[in-house]
Amino acid sequence: MNSKILEIENLTVSFDGFKALNQLNFSMDTGELRVIIGPNGAGKTTFIDVITGKVQPTTGRVLFKGRNTRRLSEHQIARLGIGRKFQTPRVYLNLTVRENLDLSCNRNQNVFATLFKPTSVAERNTVKNLLETIGLIGKAEMKAELLSHGEKQRLEIGMLVAQSPDLLLVDEPVAGLTDSETEQTGDLLLNLAESHSIIVIEHDMEFVRQIARQVTVLHQGAVLCEGTIEEVQNDPQVIEVYLGQPYEQDE
Ligand code: ADP
Ligand code: MG
């Protein structure tokens, strides 16, 4: 098996001549939790878009588990084992927490088949474990619309995990959360990192300090610096381009 889950070589993405990513090189071991930071416009979302197949590389390549994803559709890449968590939760508000997870465990079937068929013992166990992992076991029968924003975020992370991805891509999971919800989401990601490879894009530096082992800093479409959070925070270039800037929310 390839020990690198992701290898990105000389990746450039041009939008009408503007290089959102510029000769970017990146690699990550299987089982790693990697945090990616960088100022607005650094190319973080484009980076995730290329990994998931939403955007095609102009030049360079992306290898997932050693396989070039170039000609694959977003759907095919997802099926290879890449799960993406968007910033806004995408849960079914009219369904209960448990029903949302049941659906994700059965995503090849349709909604009605899932909701009205008896669930197997194995499936029930999976959903119960997931409910525990995301800290929503006490709210399993509650409609998702009644959850707090942080709980919805955790539910969506649970729905992603239900699809057993090898690599989880999580874009700004704590934007708009309270401090305690932020910490819970951090604990959840650390828990999941024991059995998954995870990339987290984040602005919130306190959260980054809570979860980060290796940090990659993007700037102007390329990797500016990589290291532990201490190394990165003390790097003069990083201080200049990122930490010296006022915080600004992006999409
Ligand atoms: P980040 O997520 O780090 O804030 P993005 O990846 O969203 O950065 O954007 C990187 C740069 O590419 C920005 O300057 C942005 O305006 C530009 N960009 C992103 N997507 C497009 C697009 N579809 N068309 C043109 N320019 C884009
Ligand atoms: Mg972005």
mmCIF file with all atom_site columns, all heavy atoms in Angstrom, residues 21-32:
data_model
loop_
_atom_site.group_PDB
_atom_site.id
_atom_site.type_symbol
_atom_site.label_atom_id
_atom_site.label_alt_id
_atom_site.label_comp_id
_atom_site.label_asym_id
_atom_site.label_entity_id
_atom_site.label_seq_id
_atom_site.pdbx_PDB_ins_code
_atom_site.Cartn_x
_atom_site.Cartn_y
_atom_site.Cartn_z
_atom_site.occupancy
_atom_site.B_iso_or_equiv
_atom_site.pdbx_formal_charge
_atom_site.auth_seq_id
_atom_site.auth_comp_id
_atom_site.auth_asym_id
_atom_site.auth_atom_id
_atom_site.pdbx_PDB_model_num
ATOM 1  N N   . LEU A 1 21 ? -3.634 28.619 -8.084  1.00 0.00 ? 21 LEU A N   1
ATOM 2  C CA  . LEU A 1 21 ? -2.584 27.746 -7.554  1.00 0.00 ? 21 LEU A CA  1
ATOM 3  C C   . LEU A 1 21 ? -1.423 27.822 -8.524  1.00 0.00 ? 21 LEU A C   1
ATOM 4  O O   . LEU A 1 21 ? -1.617 27.815 -9.745  1.00 0.00 ? 21 LEU A O   1
ATOM 5  C CB  . LEU A 1 21 ? -3.073 26.300 -7.414  1.00 0.00 ? 21 LEU A CB  1
ATOM 6  C CG  . LEU A 1 21 ? -4.226 26.080 -6.428  1.00 0.00 ? 21 LEU A CG  1
ATOM 7  C CD1 . LEU A 1 21 ? -4.645 24.601 -6.410  1.00 0.00 ? 21 LEU A CD1 1
ATOM 8  C CD2 . LEU A 1 21 ? -3.875 26.546 -5.018  1.00 0.00 ? 21 LEU A CD2 1
ATOM 9  N N   . ASN A 1 22 ? -0.204 27.890 -7.965  1.00 0.00 ? 22 ASN A N   1
ATOM 10 C CA  . ASN A 1 22 ? 0.955  28.155 -8.797  1.00 0.00 ? 22 ASN A CA  1
ATOM 11 C C   . ASN A 1 22 ? 2.098  27.193 -8.453  1.00 0.00 ? 22 ASN A C   1
ATOM 12 O O   . ASN A 1 22 ? 2.777  27.386 -7.461  1.00 0.00 ? 22 ASN A O   1
ATOM 13 C CB  . ASN A 1 22 ? 1.371  29.624 -8.576  1.00 0.00 ? 22 ASN A CB  1
ATOM 14 C CG  . ASN A 1 22 ? 2.408  30.082 -9.576  1.00 0.00 ? 22 ASN A CG  1
ATOM 15 O OD1 . ASN A 1 22 ? 2.808  29.326 -10.462 1.00 0.00 ? 22 ASN A OD1 1
ATOM 16 N ND2 . ASN A 1 22 ? 2.840  31.317 -9.422  1.00 0.00 ? 22 ASN A ND2 1
ATOM 17 N N   . GLN A 1 23 ? 2.217  26.131 -9.255  1.00 0.00 ? 23 GLN A N   1
ATOM 18 C CA  . GLN A 1 23 ? 3.308  25.165 -9.049  1.00 0.00 ? 23 GLN A CA  1
ATOM 19 C C   . GLN A 1 23 ? 3.343  24.647 -7.610  1.00 0.00 ? 23 GLN A C   1
ATOM 20 O O   . GLN A 1 23 ? 4.397  24.583 -6.970  1.00 0.00 ? 23 GLN A O   1
ATOM 21 C CB  . GLN A 1 23 ? 4.665  25.815 -9.386  1.00 0.00 ? 23 GLN A CB  1
ATOM 22 C CG  . GLN A 1 23 ? 4.827  26.159 -10.841 1.00 0.00 ? 23 GLN A CG  1
ATOM 23 C CD  . GLN A 1 23 ? 5.120  24.904 -11.678 1.00 0.00 ? 23 GLN A CD  1
ATOM 24 O OE1 . GLN A 1 23 ? 5.890  24.038 -11.299 1.00 0.00 ? 23 GLN A OE1 1
ATOM 25 N NE2 . GLN A 1 23 ? 4.482  24.789 -12.832 1.00 0.00 ? 23 GLN A NE2 1
ATOM 26 N N   . LEU A 1 24 ? 2.177  24.258 -7.132  1.00 0.00 ? 24 LEU A N   1
ATOM 27 C CA  . LEU A 1 24 ? 2.074  23.825 -5.736  1.00 0.00 ? 24 LEU A CA  1
ATOM 28 C C   . LEU A 1 24 ? 2.490  22.362 -5.574  1.00 0.00 ? 24 LEU A C   1
ATOM 29 O O   . LEU A 1 24 ? 2.080  21.503 -6.354  1.00 0.00 ? 24 LEU A O   1
ATOM 30 C CB  . LEU A 1 24 ? 0.632  24.020 -5.261  1.00 0.00 ? 24 LEU A CB  1
ATOM 31 C CG  . LEU A 1 24 ? 0.326  23.695 -3.799  1.00 0.00 ? 24 LEU A CG  1
ATOM 32 C CD1 . LEU A 1 24 ? -0.716 24.669 -3.260  1.00 0.00 ? 24 LEU A CD1 1
ATOM 33 C CD2 . LEU A 1 24 ? -0.178 22.288 -3.620  1.00 0.00 ? 24 LEU A CD2 1
ATOM 34 N N   . ASN A 1 25 ? 3.325  22.098 -4.584  1.00 0.00 ? 25 ASN A N   1
ATOM 35 C CA  . ASN A 1 25 ? 3.705  20.729 -4.234  1.00 0.00 ? 25 ASN A CA  1
ATOM 36 C C   . ASN A 1 25 ? 3.285  20.451 -2.805  1.00 0.00 ? 25 ASN A C   1
ATOM 37 O O   . ASN A 1 25 ? 3.458  21.298 -1.923  1.00 0.00 ? 25 ASN A O   1
ATOM 38 C CB  . ASN A 1 25 ? 5.223  20.527 -4.375  1.00 0.00 ? 25 ASN A CB  1
ATOM 39 C CG  . ASN A 1 25 ? 5.630  20.505 -5.832  1.00 0.00 ? 25 ASN A CG  1
ATOM 40 O OD1 . ASN A 1 25 ? 5.399  19.530 -6.530  1.00 0.00 ? 25 ASN A OD1 1
ATOM 41 N ND2 . ASN A 1 25 ? 6.204  21.607 -6.290  1.00 0.00 ? 25 ASN A ND2 1
ATOM 42 N N   . PHE A 1 26 ? 2.742  19.242 -2.606  1.00 0.00 ? 26 PHE A N   1
ATOM 43 C CA  . PHE A 1 26 ? 2.204  18.909 -1.287  1.00 0.00 ? 26 PHE A CA  1
ATOM 44 C C   . PHE A 1 26 ? 2.137  17.400 -1.182  1.00 0.00 ? 26 PHE A C   1
ATOM 45 O O   . PHE A 1 26 ? 1.842  16.719 -2.162  1.00 0.00 ? 26 PHE A O   1
ATOM 46 C CB  . PHE A 1 26 ? 0.779  19.482 -1.190  1.00 0.00 ? 26 PHE A CB  1
ATOM 47 C CG  . PHE A 1 26 ? 0.033  19.143 0.063   1.00 0.00 ? 26 PHE A CG  1
ATOM 48 C CD1 . PHE A 1 26 ? 0.121  19.953 1.185   1.00 0.00 ? 26 PHE A CD1 1
ATOM 49 C CD2 . PHE A 1 26 ? -0.785 18.015 0.124   1.00 0.00 ? 26 PHE A CD2 1
ATOM 50 C CE1 . PHE A 1 26 ? -0.590 19.657 2.341   1.00 0.00 ? 26 PHE A CE1 1
ATOM 51 C CE2 . PHE A 1 26 ? -1.490 17.706 1.278   1.00 0.00 ? 26 PHE A CE2 1
ATOM 52 C CZ  . PHE A 1 26 ? -1.394 18.534 2.381   1.00 0.00 ? 26 PHE A CZ  1
ATOM 53 N N   . SER A 1 27 ? 2.438  16.871 -0.012  1.00 0.00 ? 27 SER A N   1
ATOM 54 C CA  . SER A 1 27 ? 2.146  15.451 0.181   1.00 0.00 ? 27 SER A CA  1
ATOM 55 C C   . SER A 1 27 ? 1.804  15.199 1.634   1.00 0.00 ? 27 SER A C   1
ATOM 56 O O   . SER A 1 27 ? 2.144  15.993 2.528   1.00 0.00 ? 27 SER A O   1
ATOM 57 C CB  . SER A 1 27 ? 3.311  14.573 -0.267  1.00 0.00 ? 27 SER A CB  1
ATOM 58 O OG  . SER A 1 27 ? 4.292  14.538 0.729   1.00 0.00 ? 27 SER A OG  1
ATOM 59 N N   . MET A 1 28 ? 1.100  14.118 1.820   1.00 0.00 ? 28 MET A N   1
ATOM 60 C CA  . MET A 1 28 ? 0.570  13.817 3.150   1.00 0.00 ? 28 MET A CA  1
ATOM 61 C C   . MET A 1 28 ? 0.536  12.316 3.349   1.00 0.00 ? 28 MET A C   1
ATOM 62 O O   . MET A 1 28 ? 0.154  11.569 2.444   1.00 0.00 ? 28 MET A O   1
ATOM 63 C CB  . MET A 1 28 ? -0.835 14.416 3.178   1.00 0.00 ? 28 MET A CB  1
ATOM 64 C CG  . MET A 1 28 ? -1.568 14.194 4.432   1.00 0.00 ? 28 MET A CG  1
ATOM 65 S SD  . MET A 1 28 ? -3.127 15.091 4.336   1.00 0.00 ? 28 MET A SD  1
ATOM 66 C CE  . MET A 1 28 ? -4.084 13.972 5.340   1.00 0.00 ? 28 MET A CE  1
ATOM 67 N N   . ASP A 1 29 ? 0.971  11.849 4.531   1.00 0.00 ? 29 ASP A N   1
ATOM 68 C CA  . ASP A 1 29 ? 0.977  10.418 4.832   1.00 0.00 ? 29 ASP A CA  1
ATOM 69 C C   . ASP A 1 29 ? -0.432 9.920  5.152   1.00 0.00 ? 29 ASP A C   1
ATOM 70 O O   . ASP A 1 29 ? -1.258 10.670 5.665   1.00 0.00 ? 29 ASP A O   1
ATOM 71 C CB  . ASP A 1 29 ? 1.856  10.131 6.056   1.00 0.00 ? 29 ASP A CB  1
ATOM 72 C CG  . ASP A 1 29 ? 3.330  10.333 5.764   1.00 0.00 ? 29 ASP A CG  1
ATOM 73 O OD1 . ASP A 1 29 ? 3.719  10.215 4.586   1.00 0.00 ? 29 ASP A OD1 1
ATOM 74 O OD2 . ASP A 1 29 ? 4.081  10.600 6.715   1.00 0.00 ? 29 ASP A OD2 1
ATOM 75 N N   . THR A 1 30 ? -0.646 8.645  4.908   1.00 0.00 ? 30 THR A N   1
ATOM 76 C CA  . THR A 1 30 ? -1.882 8.005  5.329   1.00 0.00 ? 30 THR A CA  1
ATOM 77 C C   . THR A 1 30 ? -1.984 8.107  6.855   1.00 0.00 ? 30 THR A C   1
ATOM 78 O O   . THR A 1 30 ? -1.004 7.876  7.564   1.00 0.00 ? 30 THR A O   1
ATOM 79 C CB  . THR A 1 30 ? -1.866 6.526  4.899   1.00 0.00 ? 30 THR A CB  1
ATOM 80 O OG1 . THR A 1 30 ? -1.700 6.469  3.488   1.00 0.00 ? 30 THR A OG1 1
ATOM 81 C CG2 . THR A 1 30 ? -3.150 5.817  5.294   1.00 0.00 ? 30 THR A CG2 1
ATOM 82 N N   . GLY A 1 31 ? -3.159 8.492  7.329   1.00 0.00 ? 31 GLY A N   1
ATOM 83 C CA  . GLY A 1 31 ? -3.381 8.586  8.780   1.00 0.00 ? 31 GLY A CA  1
ATOM 84 C C   . GLY A 1 31 ? -3.061 9.942  9.368   1.00 0.00 ? 31 GLY A C   1
ATOM 85 O O   . GLY A 1 31 ? -3.280 10.160 10.559  1.00 0.00 ? 31 GLY A O   1
ATOM 86 N N   . GLU A 1 32 ? -2.574 10.854 8.547   1.00 0.00 ? 32 GLU A N   1
ATOM 87 C CA  . GLU A 1 32 ? -2.197 12.181 9.070   1.00 0.00 ? 32 GLU A CA  1
ATOM 88 C C   . GLU A 1 32 ? -3.405 13.108 9.239   1.00 0.00 ? 32 GLU A C   1
ATOM 89 O O   . GLU A 1 32 ? -4.367 13.018 8.478   1.00 0.00 ? 32 GLU A O   1
ATOM 90 C CB  . GLU A 1 32 ? -1.227 12.831 8.064   1.00 0.00 ? 32 GLU A CB  1
ATOM 91 C CG  . GLU A 1 32 ? -0.039 13.515 8.710   1.00 0.00 ? 32 GLU A CG  1
ATOM 92 C CD  . GLU A 1 32 ? 0.749  14.332 7.696   1.00 0.00 ? 32 GLU A CD  1
ATOM 93 O OE1 . GLU A 1 32 ? 1.404  13.754 6.814   1.00 0.00 ? 32 GLU A OE1 1
ATOM 94 O OE2 . GLU A 1 32 ? 0.695  15.561 7.802   1.00 0.00 ? 32 GLU A OE2 1
#
